[in-house]
Structures are given as C-alpha cells and as structure tokens.
Amino acid sequence: MADLNDDIRRAKGVGTRWAQLLSDDLDVHTYEDMLQQYPYKYVDRSHIYAVRDITCDMAYVQLHGSFISMNMVGEGSHRRLTAVFTDGTGAIEIVWFKGLEYVRNTIKTSEEYYLFGKPTVFGNRINIVHPELEKGDATISNAGTLQAVYNTSERMKKAGLNSKAVQKIILNIFAELQSKPIAETLPQYLIDRCHLMPRGEALRIMHTPPSLQVVENARYRLKFEELFYIQLKMLRTYSQKRMQQSGYLFATSGAYLNDFYKNHLPFEPTNAQKRVVHEIYNDLHSGKQMNRLLQGDVGSGKTMVALMAMLIAKGNGFQACMMAPTEILATQHYESLTKMLDGMPVRVELLTGSTKQRERRVILADLLSGAVDILVGTHALVEETVQFARLGLAVVDEQHRFGVAQRAKLWSKGAVPPHILVMTATPIPRTLAMTVYGDLDVSVIDELPPGRKAVMTEHYFHEKRNNLNRFIRAQLASGRQVYVVYPLIEESERSDFKNLTEGFEYMKSAFPEYKVCMVHGRLKPDEKDEAMRQFVENEAQIMVATTVIEVGVNVPNASVMVIESAERFGLSQLHQLRGRVGRGADQSYCILMTDYKLSTDTRRRMEIMVGTTNGFEIAEADMRLRGPGSIEGTQQSGLPFNLHVADLARDGQIVQYTRDIAQEIIKSDPTLSAPENVIMLHRLNYLEKNALNWSLIS
Ligand code: ADP
Ligand code: MG
C-alpha cells in the first residue's frame, strides 16, 4: 500500500533519470516531498472567451480555436512573428518576439488550440503577446479548471520534466494514495481552534483547486503548519536548554553599576538603553544562563549597554570579556570603555594578536588571579591559553562575523557557562530573528541618542562627478574627512582591485592639497593599521578603501561616505557603510555613485537608501527584495526545516501567531507527552530525522 514516505522512484511515471533530477534540483525524495512542490501560480481556465468579446482591459483570457496565418515581419531587433487566431466569432492577432523559428515550426494551422494570455494594445490593435498554448486534444487538458503551474529547472525542462509532467506525477501519487487518507500532522484541538483545513484536503486543493478562494484557505493551513513546526522546534530546544542550563546567579545589580550610574554617566541613557539593561539584568538575576541577542543600529549606543552589563558582573564578583571581530574594533572598544570608566576602580585590559609577549604574560597571569576585571579583545580571547578566574559574562560584538562554534568555545571557559550577550548592528526583521535566532532572547535598541542628524543620502550618476568633487572640496575645506569605498569581490578581484587603486590615484590628483590613504585586505596588518591610524588622527583626510572599513570603525569627524559602484552592494551592506558617517554632531552625507543604466531592482535599492535611514525598514525591504537568506548573519544559523509555501518576509503575522501558540503548548507540556500532543512530538521527530538524513546525503 502506498504511503507518503514512499520513495519517489516508486511513483508512476518517474524513471531513474527523472528521480535523479527531482532529487538534485528540487530536493524531492519521497511522495510527501513531491506533494510539497506547490504550484507557484494558477491560471484560470474555467472560462472560455469568444474572440469578439475581447477588450484590451481584460486580465488573462482563454480562447479556443485555430491559427489561420503566420508571418515574419520587421527587421533586426524589431523582427517578430505575427499570427491570426480565430474561433469563428472573430479574429485576433498573436505576436511573438522571441523563439520565432521554434514557434513557427511547432504551430500547425490544421490543429485546434487552447490559447491563454493577456490582451494588450500594440500598433493600434488588440493582440496577445507570447500566449501559452495547449493543443485542443491534449491528454491532461486543463480547460475548464484552474491550472497549476510548477517551478522546474532548465535541466528538468530539457529532460521533458516540465510543469505539466510534474503535475502528472502529482496526480498519479494522489490516485495511488486514494485508498488511504493523508494523515493529519496537527492535533485536532488546534485545527478546531485555528479553523484550519485538514491536511489531506489542503494538499489536494493546492494541486487541483476548485477555486482560487479555496486555495487561500489551503495555503494558509500549510503555511501555518510549516511555521508552527519551526517555532515548536525552536521553543522546545530553547526550553530544554533552559531547563538544563543553570547559570550564575547575579543577586544584585551591584555597587559598581550604581556608582557608574550615579557618578560617571557620560550622558543620559536613552529609554531604549535603559529598557535593554533591565532585560539583561532580569536574565542575569534569574539563575539561568543568559543567551541574549542585542540588536541596535550603528550608533545606537550598544557599547554603554555592554559596559553596564559587565559592571553588574563585576559587582557580583565576576569577570567579563568583550570580543570584537577586528583588532581596530577591539582597540576602539577598549578605548571607549576605559574612558567611560575613568575614575572607577575597574581594571580593563586589551588582548589581541599584536599584544607583546611580555605584556601578554602579565595580562594572562592577572586574568587567572582575578586582578583583571574586563578583558577586551579579538578572537584571541577564545584561545585555550586565555583562562579566567571567574568569567561570568561574555559580550560578543558584531555577531555575524563569529561562527556558532566560536561562541560555543566561550561557553566552555568555566564549569558553569558564562552569560552571553551577542550584539549586532545588522538589523534583522523581527519575524526572522524570532525564527533563526529562536533559541536566543532578543533585545532591541530602537532609538538613537538625541541630537543625531540623520545622514543625508543622494544618488549620483557618474556623469555628475564634477559636482561631487566640488561638494567633497567644500566639506574638506570645512575640516571634515571623507571615505570613498569601492566594491571588491572575489570573482572579479583583479578588475575590482584596479578600480580601487585607480580611484586612489584619482583622488590624489584631484585633491593634491590633502592627504589620501588607502585600506584594503591585501595590506599587511601593520600597513593597514598605519593607514587607519592616519585617518583616525586626521593626518589623512580622504580614505579610499574596500569594505574592510565596514565593521565598527568610529571616526566622528568623517562626514562624507562616497560609495562607488553602489549597484554592486546589497542593501544591508550599503546601510552598514553609511553608518560609518553621522557619528559626530555635523550633518553627514552618503553619496551613492552608479551608472546611468540600472536594473529595476537596483533602482529600487537606491530609492530605499535615499528614502530612509531606519535599519529595520531597510532590512525588511532587503528581505522582500532578495529573500530571507540574504540577511547577513542568518545563513549560518539557517532554518531547522525547509519552507515550501511560507515566506518569512511576507508571513510575519503567521510567524507571530504560530509562535504564540507554540509557546503556550511548550509552556504547559514541555515534553509534548500529553496524549493530545503526542502527534506533534511524532511529527517533530519525523521532520528532524528527515532534515538530518538528507543533510548527510547531499
Ligand atoms: P554602536 O551601537 O554602534 O556600538 P556606540 O556604542 O559606539 O554605538 O555609540 C555611538 C556613539 O554614541 C558613541 O560616541 C557614544 O558615546 C554615543 N552615545 C551612546 N549612547 C548615548 C546616549 N545615550 N546619549 C548620547 N550619546 C550616546
Ligand atoms: Mg559598536
């Protein structure tokens, strides 16, 4: 008897070759995988129109009739194929601009066709361009129904495995399963409570829909299920971790935080900073290990929040460390922490790859004796030689540069794992954070310190370079500094590098009265540091660089960020780069330079950058434009199970809804062992096993 778990090779009509293609290109291995290949659209074939009723404002229409003539017309790029199609009530012109020979050779004037397309006006006449065609006597005619259209790869199409073939396999599977109802995967009480369609019905409707309206209900049910199981998995993992993972109990906020708050505050914290410190304190005070992600746009003041958390550790007799992805950034953190702690009895040390041996030995010894309170550094901190007397809190800045494995190394630095605060300036849309970081708690600083002027962003075409230079000259004359950033990606490294060095020479010749420095990944560390130093100390006024400056550098006097070939950067990267300016009190500017000719997508990206400085809006837009996988820092975490129908960018509400429900369930039955919940436990185990199996194979 057939079963959803059956190997796709068993399905009627699937030979070895197709099975291989299905596995390679669609990740389909079982009947169930096949049924989860949902159509990406439906074309309405429930009505056949008469040609004489066609008007140019109609949406897609279906006609039935035959071609009476075909003609190649025009020359060169205007060459096209036109045909006249008739059904006895009238005639309409059909036009092709591509694949002319192929179309001319396959269409037969002796045959009847179903023709499907959108009427438009071209040369004062109504016609239809590039219609879909199906012979009138086709074996699976979709005439009279909604026709499902499936995604297929080029390779699949070449092997005859096109949308129709996919549909046929799916129909065969349904026929084979007929005697056996498709098992439910959600408990009945959820189906009732959330008004969900039964699973078997939803699957059938997706592939053979009676109406578009019903498809929406089916789709909702299937989206719900996908998102629900991801949330359930995340929350179960989270609750298991919490149950096992006891952490250090920080009983009080402590004398050091109080002293800092009363006597050393460099500025009044924003409400968002205060709220986040509270959230952190609640974790530290709970007796469980903290695993918190702190999101805050560049310049939102994460450093002070981290400092306050570290002071709570100190006040409870613990050490803390703060890890940054680059030496420059670690040094800047060290400097701003020491400055904020000026006059307080708290010892901060810096440990990086270039710390001198002797100094290093002293720091390590004092760390082990407990004399060092806060250690700032690069990933050198996770090395085994670095041992703390009592590490209570680890802060990790710019999360996406660190792998999960590195975080885990930090954990193992004591018998009891330290509390972990991960900070990132890459804003991740809430629904995505909830999903990929579902096992972390998330805090957000959604407010910038007062008095910040939003960076003004403009989009220039290369033709306006003279205007740009005039503008740069004026900024330099008033004492400001300027960044010029070039893309450098591995695939085209050679030509990119040439652009960079030419840009450097160009800036030197265009601004001879100023010093220009250059920073890129090929420099030796000390050369790079020297160039950075020159810019930080305003010995150099212009810095030409690749994206190495993206991470965290703080030069408040720099007020102009010019991004060359801006079309080659993603939205979040553009946003990160822009965050390098606007750190001082002056009005700052970001100039996006591009060619005149741009794709619609690029144009949209430029508009978004010009239109908003809000990192979350940009991240949402990025996710909509490029899909959730594009958001930096989320790839390595990934999703526990694949999504086939749900979309994290568009289905935010369902993400939230299913999360709330999953939370409720896990709270009342963490092991999912109540009789009415066991069905979910089985489904989770099944999904986990499958995810694992296929990841081992592929
Ligand atoms: P990020 O979140 O990018 O790490 P930082 O912690 O570096 O931001 O803070 C950016 C700048 O804003 C620093 O110069 C910092 O001193 C300043 N700052 C932080 N919080 C406040 C505040 N509440 N009021 C005024 N300035 C602040
Ligand atoms: Mg920072």
Side-chain angles (χ1 to χ4, degrees), residues 527-584:
E527 292 170 334
K528 187 167 145 190
D529 285 352
E530 171 56 17
M532 288 298 306
R533 188 198 59 75
Q534 287 177 3
F535 193 69
V536 170
E537 289 173 17
N538 201 0
E539 277 171 32
Q541 290 72 42
I542 301 174
M543 177 151 103
V544 176
T546 59
T547 50
V548 291
I549 61 155
E550 188 186 323
V551 178
V553 183
N554 193 17
V555 182
N557 191 47
S559 64
V560 182
M561 166 65 66
V562 179
I563 305 178
E564 297 284 349
S565 302
E567 69 271 20
R568 294 184 49 203
F569 293 94
L571 268 178
S572 40
Q573 224 179 354
L574 290 172
H575 180 65
Q576 288 284 321
L577 285 169
R578 179 168 60 183
R580 298 303 119 218
V581 295
R583 306 196 140 219

Side-chain angles (χ1 to χ4, degrees), residues 22-40:
L22 287 171
S23 152
D24 289 351
D25 290 10
L26 298 181
D27 206 15
V28 166
H29 312 276
T30 64
Y31 281 18
E32 179 166 12
D33 293 340
M34 194 72 213
L35 296 190
Q36 286 176 339
Q37 295 300 309
Y38 303 116
Y40 72 92

Side-chain angles (χ1 to χ4, degrees), residues 29 111 363:
H29 312 276
E111 302 256 9
I363 292 175

Side-chain angles (χ1 to χ4, degrees), residues 267-270 273 297-304 449-450 452 583:
F267 28 68
E268 178 65 17
T270 61
Q273 285 170 320
D297 224 333
V298 278
S300 62
K302 294 184 290 294
T303 319
M304 190 166 80
R452 281 293 159 74
R583 306 196 140 219

Side-chain angles (χ1 to χ4, degrees), residues 664-689:
E664 216 178 276
I665 293 173
I666 291 289
K667 204 167 156 195
S668 69
D669 182 13
T671 55
L672 297 175
S673 47
E676 69 275 21
N677 290 335
V678 164
I679 182 174
M680 294 184 283
L681 184 63
H682 289 162
R683 183 65 183 169
L684 267 186
N685 289 341
Y686 171 80
L687 289 170
E688 280 166 12
K689 194 174 114 239

Side-chain angles (χ1 to χ4, degrees), residues 318-334:
F318 286 89
Q319 295 165 295
C321 70
M322 185 164 180
M323 190 156 74
T326 64
E327 216 165 304
I328 296 167
L329 204 58
T331 310
Q332 283 197 343
H333 278 323
Y334 171 75

Side-chain angles (χ1 to χ4, degrees), residues 120-127:
T120 50
V121 178
F122 180 73
N124 268 330
R125 260 187 302 183
I126 295 183
N127 51 32

